[in-house]
Amino acid sequence: MKPFCRDTWVEVDLDAIRANVETFRGHLPAQTGIMAVVKADGYGHGSVHVGKEALDAGADSLGVALLDEAIVLREAGIEAPILVLGYTPVDSVAIASKLKVELTAYSEAWILEAEQALQRDELGPVGIHVKTDTGMGRLGVRSEEELLRVVSALENSSKLVWSGLFTHFACADEPDQTHVRRQYETFQSFIQALRAAGKKLPKVHCCNTAAAIAHPEWGYDTIRLGIGLYGLYPSPYMKERADVPLVPALSLKTKIAHVKVADEPFTVSYGATYTAQPHEQIATLPIGYADGYSRLLSNRGAVLFNGERAPIVGRVCMDQIMVKIPNESAQVGDEIVLYGRQGDEEISLDEIAALTGTINYEVPCLLNFRIPKVYYRAGKECTVHHLLTK
Ligand SMILES: Cc1ncc(COP(=O)(O)O)c(C=O)c1O
């Protein structure tokens, strides 16, 4: 049976994932490990396949935002260390213990409650990474006193093991490095305070992709590699610096479902915002905003046909879009590239992000369970993953 019954799919190049891990491996000091961040289903690329490839290529752990995301990885047979970077409700700590997944903590109250929950269920240890807020204003302890209290609570716990210390940068991808330097200094002063109190430091980490590119010497025990793993730069500024060459891993493709050339002008899509003129060739493509292809691309974006740009005409519908094909050779079933390369042309995720007023991170994350993913290795299809029909 065909693994999927629609003519729209994502292609993920696992060689690109591997190459990006190897590039960071070469860029970082030898003692700095790589945590491959595969939250949000691997930034829309598929957490299991990307996670396995990254580990095989030299990453030594995986990072996710949610315990549920870690469960998916364990169920797929991944045994490497996994850290949940976000908040985990105390009533789920037992699951983390059973699956040997490490959690993030930043409050004494949470630690005491988690300890009680594990004792009640007679469960084994859970590794805890303490998060410090050095200037992100999101999660984390904010003062040395608070940090020492949280660490003491962990040391007094018989069920929780202090396994890591980290922070997250807010502006590492910007030309002005003042904020990130200030955050780094605050993080260092937290480390100093712990040392002064006689604490033996666990695994320390602070760098995301941007900080790892700009400051590899800040890597400590591991970097947390997210967007760079997927071959994308954290900002247009970082892309310009380009001293770390990355290979984008994701393409989005479809096939033409219908072609029409009218003798008379006709309007296209909801709101009749575009009028096709006689002899214009309008193709209908089976993808829409319900797949995560933004409606903001209405009358703005383009796709690639035969290596040339074909502009989107009219509004993006829930399941379909219309494009104007620049010559009259299009046929039902012809391949179209929505994101990625065809011939010498490319529609990058950065371009889509700029057109839709967002960042490249969001563009693949929006592609959802309706779109099957086809994985490639050495230029050959190796596996297909389709959540909708799973
Ligand atoms: C705590 C944490 N660490 C690391 C990352 C990876 O960041 P990036 O994708 O910029 O490398 C993220 C992503 O948002 C994060 O939230």
Side-chain angles (χ1 to χ4, degrees):
M1 214 172 82
K2 266 180 82 180
F4 53 91
C5 305
R6 70 178 298 196
D7 271 344
T8 298
W9 68 101
V10 153
E11 289 181 6
V12 178
D13 177 4
L14 293 173
D15 296 326
I17 301 289
R18 175 172 293 273
N20 296 327
V21 172
E22 286 170 356
T23 295
F24 276 92
R25 186 59 283 140
H27 181 66
L28 293 166
Q31 74 278 9
T32 300
I34 297 178
M35 178 189 296
V37 179
V38 294
K39 63 192 174 125
D41 196 23
Y43 291 36
H45 295 61
S47 63
V48 169
H49 293 89
V50 170
K52 285 182 176 173
E53 195 69 26
L55 289 166
D56 198 55
D60 39 47
S61 64
L62 300 178
V64 291
L66 311 169
L67 183 54
D68 286 326
E69 294 175 329
I71 294 171
V72 171
L73 299 172
R74 285 285 184 253
E75 283 178 352
I78 294 177
E79 292 174 358
I82 302 176
L83 171 63
V84 176
L85 297 162
Y87 168 74
T88 304
V90 168
D91 60 9
S92 298
V93 169
I95 297 171
S97 164
K98 285 178 192 152
L99 294 178
K100 297 199 171 9
V101 170
E102 295 184 327
L103 300 179
T104 290
Y106 42 86
S107 110
E108 207 183 351
W110 185 93
I111 289 168
L112 297 177
E113 273 185 62
E115 164 81 5
Q116 278 169 12
L118 290 170
Q119 286 197 353
R120 202 172 43 237
D121 295 343
E122 295 182 7
L123 285 165
V126 176
I128 298 292
H129 290 229
V130 173
K131 175 124 196 218
T132 62
D133 178 7
T134 55
M136 178 72 180
R138 198 165 66 175
L139 299 177
V141 298
R142 294 176 56 81
S143 70
E144 290 176 7
E145 298 70 44
E146 217 182 332
L147 177 59
L148 287 168
R149 268 204 311 278
V150 164
V151 167
S152 296
L154 283 175
E155 286 175 336
N156 292 333
S157 160
S158 59
K159 296 288 185 178
L160 301 171
V161 181
W162 186 31
S163 308
L165 177 78
F166 73 112
T167 196
H168 189 51
F169 295 136
C171 307
D173 59 338
E174 293 180 4
D176 182 351
Q177 293 279 298
T178 316
H179 190 83
V180 69
R181 283 189 187 281
R182 205 173 298 133
Q183 277 197 263
Y184 181 65
E185 282 160 19
T186 306
F187 190 52
Q188 280 181 309
S189 62
F190 281 150
I191 289 172
Q192 269 315 107
L194 289 167
R195 283 203 178 113
K199 309 291 180 194
K200 186 169 176 303
L201 289 180
K203 200 169 177 179
V204 175
H205 45 109
C206 59
C207 288
N208 53 5
T209 299
I213 290 177
H215 308 284
E217 71 285 2
W218 293 1
Y220 284 105
D221 295 305
T222 189
I223 62 159
R224 301 187 306 273
L225 180 63
I227 199 75
L229 177 63
Y230 307 97
L232 304 173
Y233 291 89
S235 65
Y237 162 71
M238 302 256 25
K239 191 172 185 175
E240 265 168 40
R241 287 178 52 127
D243 55 353
V244 175
L246 299 176
V247 189
L250 182 138
S251 311
L252 175 63
K253 298 186 176 177
T254 191
K255 287 183 182 171
I256 294 175
H258 184 52
V259 185
K260 51 189 170 292
V261 183
D263 296 334
E264 306 263 300
F266 65 97
T267 61
V268 176
S269 194
Y270 292 113
T273 58
Y274 181 80
T275 302
Q277 298 305 318
H279 309 300
E280 273 182 19
Q281 187 177 212
I282 305 297
T284 304
L285 310 179
I287 184 163
Y289 61 78
D291 297 301
Y293 190 80
S294 176
R295 192 171 176 277
L296 295 170
L297 293 165
S298 300
N299 285 310
R300 301 187 72 199
V303 302
L304 300 179
F305 171 74
N306 275 351
E308 277 184 58
R309 282 171 179 258
I312 294 172
V313 292
R315 290 190 183 147
V316 171
C317 305
M318 188 181 282
D319 316 292
Q320 298 172 80
I321 60 172
M322 273 59 74
V323 298
K324 185 169 86 171
I325 301 285
N327 57 54
E328 293 211 4
S329 61
Q331 310 228 339
V332 170
D334 283 349
E335 188 168 298
I336 297 280
V337 170
L338 299 123
Y339 304 163
R341 278 196 169 279
Q342 199 183 49
D344 294 335
E345 265 290 354
E346 182 182 13
I347 296 187
S348 67
L349 300 191
D350 299 303
E351 174 180 340
I352 299 293
L355 279 173
T356 54
T358 184
I359 52 173
N360 57 8
Y361 290 67
E362 191 179 354
V363 178
C365 285
L366 290 177
L367 300 174
N368 62 37
F369 61 93
R370 296 214 317 178
I371 306 186
K373 294 188 188 76
V374 183
Y375 291 89
Y376 281 78
R377 191 177 280 114
K380 287 210 185 87
E381 185 180 319
C382 57
T383 176
V384 174
H385 187 62
H386 191 17
L387 278 173
L388 188 62
T389 56
K390 204 174 116 184

